[in-house]
Amino acid sequence: MLRNKKIILGVCGGIAAYKAIELLRLLTKSGADVHVIMTRAAQEFVAPLTFQTLSSNPVHTELFNLIAEREIGHISLADRADLFIVAPATANIIGKIANGIADDMLTTTVMATKAPVLFAPAMNVNMFTNPIYQENEEKLRRLGYLFEAPISGNLACGWQGEGKLAAPEAIFESALAALTEKDLAGRTILITAGPTREEIDPVRYISNHSSGKMGYALARAARRRGAKVLLVSGPTALDKPCGVSVIAVTSASEMQSEVMAHVAKCDVVIKAAAVADYRPLARNLTKIKKSADSTTIELIKNPDILAGLGALDSGLMPRPFLVGFAAETDALAENAAKKLKEKNLDMIVANDVSQADAGFNVDTNRALLFFRDGSSSQCGLMSKDQLAGSILDHVVARLTQH
Ligand code: C5P
């Protein structure tokens, strides 16, 4: 996701400096070319060699370095950067930059760059709540600098409260957002993800192999592109995506209630969830005992949430742009095209779940996209993050005519 992106990672002197190593790893793993600048204090906490080894680039520590100065080091770094991240950012560095002081390699390069700058502050809670710090942060925000706010927790200094560096994953997510065009700004998107569970008795249920990965990838991608995202999720083992409102549900009926409660304010609904088609006719209040050699559970059809949305009367309520998924094991194209028509959708993402590298519970997918106007588009084998990007490209392109 960050291939061909040049990122400067500024590391300041705080105990959280060690967490910048994890952030560096996430950035390089995503393909970014990362150049690290460390303040003098940061080098007291972590050795530059660690960052040098993991970034495969020399670490910059001195403003006046005879070798680098041949090309005026801080200016050439500042000019070539796509994004500047300062993590952890101390009260000191934020105070200096807010007041125009550029007296070392890091502050000078931040002042010289035209790239977006993302600060991830970390400090003692009393420093964080100090009005001087707050005023400096406010000034930088006003000027367009980005912030990934610290979180509350036990601080290394023994205090408890706000000031803990945001999780490296959250900073990484904000870095991706900072580099993404906001073509979904002002839009509200509801995405459903994961399986549903239909209870048989207090200890058993019917479900399927959906991991939720595709829906969560869509939620992250939509948020990066500026959308307000509501993620209605069945039970999954995935981390809650940053900046997304997650509504946890268990059964298809619960999913239906939540979708219907929020649909009126949505521009787009993407139904990536693998909703169980049937549920037990009656849920046993106590655990069903083992006795006979065979047993039968009577099932009743669940409401088709997506078909219900497709049938909404657009005269009463503006109908959102509807995207369905079709997980098939055979006759992929025919089944998907039929579902698109029957459920009155704008777009359907069809994937062959009989293949080991696509569909349920894997990180990759390959899909065929069909549209209301009869056109289609093929997405070859790619990561679910990449497929989420392609799906949203098509949504954005068609949303204006919706
Ligand atoms: O008909 P089928 O279950 O294959 O359709 C799949 C699509 O319909 C998915 O987008 C799924 O989220 C949605 N669906 C639904 N409610 C159901 C069953 C499926 O919204 N009860």
Side-chain angles (χ1 to χ4, degrees):
M1 283 186 282
L2 291 174
R3 204 165 305 134
N4 301 325
K5 296 289 179 203
K6 196 175 284 293
I7 295 179
I8 304 179
L9 174 59
V11 184
C12 302
I15 185 64
Y18 78 93
K19 293 188 189 161
I21 297 169
E22 180 61 14
L23 175 62
L24 169 61
R25 207 187 60 82
L26 292 171
L27 295 168
T28 52
K29 224 172 97 183
S30 253
D33 177 25
V34 186
H35 295 259
V36 177
I37 302 177
M38 297 180 80
T39 63
R40 192 157 299 164
Q43 296 164 60
E44 299 288 336
F45 289 92
V46 184
L49 186 62
T50 308
F51 286 101
Q52 186 148 312
T53 310
L54 293 172
S55 68
S56 309
N57 279 316
V59 169
H60 302 263
T61 52
E62 300 300 327
L63 184 56
F64 301 107
N65 177 320
L66 282 181
I67 298 169
E69 282 306 288
R70 267 185 302 184
E71 52 163 348
I72 316 186
H74 60 280
I75 302 296
S76 74
L77 255 187
D79 285 350
R80 286 180 289 147
D82 293 296
L83 175 68
F84 208 125
I85 307 173
V86 185
T90 52
N92 177 55
I93 215 83
I94 288 167
K96 277 187 187 173
I97 295 166
N99 290 284
I101 297 170
D103 64 351
D104 64 3
M105 183 67 178
L106 180 54
T107 47
T108 311
T109 318
V110 172
M111 297 227 25
T113 194
K114 290 231 170 252
V117 180
L118 170 66
F119 290 106
M123 63 197 75
N124 162 273
V125 59
N126 298 328
M127 291 172 87
F128 182 69
T129 51
N130 187 318
I132 300 174
Y133 170 81
Q134 288 295 326
E135 212 176 289
N136 287 333
E137 177 178 325
E138 186 46 42
K139 180 176 176 185
L140 290 174
R141 280 186 187 268
R142 252 195 341 267
L143 293 169
Y145 288 84
L146 306 167
F147 278 81
E148 181 60 40
I151 50 176
S152 273
N154 294 324
L155 304 176
C157 51
W159 282 77
Q160 210 179 8
E162 237 173 329
K164 214 174 152 70
L165 183 72
E169 292 77 14
I171 305 171
F172 175 72
E173 200 42 61
S174 285
L176 290 177
L179 289 166
T180 307
E181 195 196 332
K182 299 288 174 283
D183 53 8
L184 283 170
R187 302 288 195 178
T188 300
I189 302 196
L190 186 150
I191 297 166
T192 68
T196 64
R197 274 183 196 168
E198 311 300 326
E199 288 198 5
I200 299 168
D201 68 14
V203 297
R204 305 179 180 97
Y205 56 80
I206 297 172
S207 191
N208 57 61
H209 290 301
S210 170
S211 62
K213 286 179 178 172
M214 192 64 239
Y216 278 57
L218 280 161
R220 286 192 301 270
R223 185 251 178 175
R224 263 175 234 144
R225 293 166 84 139
K228 182 170 185 282
V229 181
L230 302 176
L231 178 63
V232 180
S233 176
T236 74
L238 304 175
D239 290 334
K240 196 172 169 259
C242 305
V244 165
S245 307
V246 180
I247 302 166
V249 296
T250 305
S251 66
S253 303
E254 278 172 35
M255 185 173 277
Q256 183 187 37
S257 308
E258 292 298 344
V259 169
M260 295 321 280
H262 295 283
V263 68
K265 53 178 181 262
C266 296
D267 301 288
V268 182
V269 174
I270 307 181
K271 287 228 71 241
V275 185
D277 290 326
Y278 293 90
R279 68 176 182 277
L281 178 61
R283 175 185 178 274
N284 240 65
L285 290 176
T286 52
K287 186 182 169 193
I288 299 169
K289 297 286 177 294
K290 176 170 56 180
S291 54
D293 282 349
S294 74
T295 184
T296 309
I297 300 168
E298 192 174 349
L299 301 176
I300 181 169
K301 211 169 191 176
N302 267 330
D304 192 312
I305 308 167
L306 190 53
L309 296 178
L312 283 176
D313 182 352
S314 46
L316 291 177
M317 187 175 75
R319 180 179 164 286
F321 186 90
L322 291 181
V323 184
F325 271 69
E328 303 291 342
T329 53
D330 57 284
L332 185 64
E334 294 86 320
N335 283 329
K338 190 163 162 263
K339 274 178 199 171
L340 177 109
K341 211 167 168 6
E342 280 173 5
K343 300 194 189 201
N344 192 23
L345 309 179
D346 298 290
M347 174 174 164
I348 195 156
V349 181
N351 51 337
D352 183 347
V353 289
S354 65
Q355 298 179 45
D357 56 6
F360 286 153
N361 229 340
V362 287
D363 291 325
T364 51
N365 215 346
R366 58 162 72 83
L368 264 171
L369 313 183
F370 293 91
F371 306 96
R372 182 189 270 280
D373 61 9
S375 60
S376 64
S377 173
Q378 179 129 31
C379 299
L381 187 66
M382 56 178 79
S383 72
K384 286 186 174 172
D385 282 315
Q386 286 170 318
L387 181 59
S390 297
I391 292 170
L392 292 180
D393 286 345
H394 285 284
V395 170
V396 168
R398 285 169 168 80
L399 204 47
T400 41
Q401 304 132 34
H402 179 63

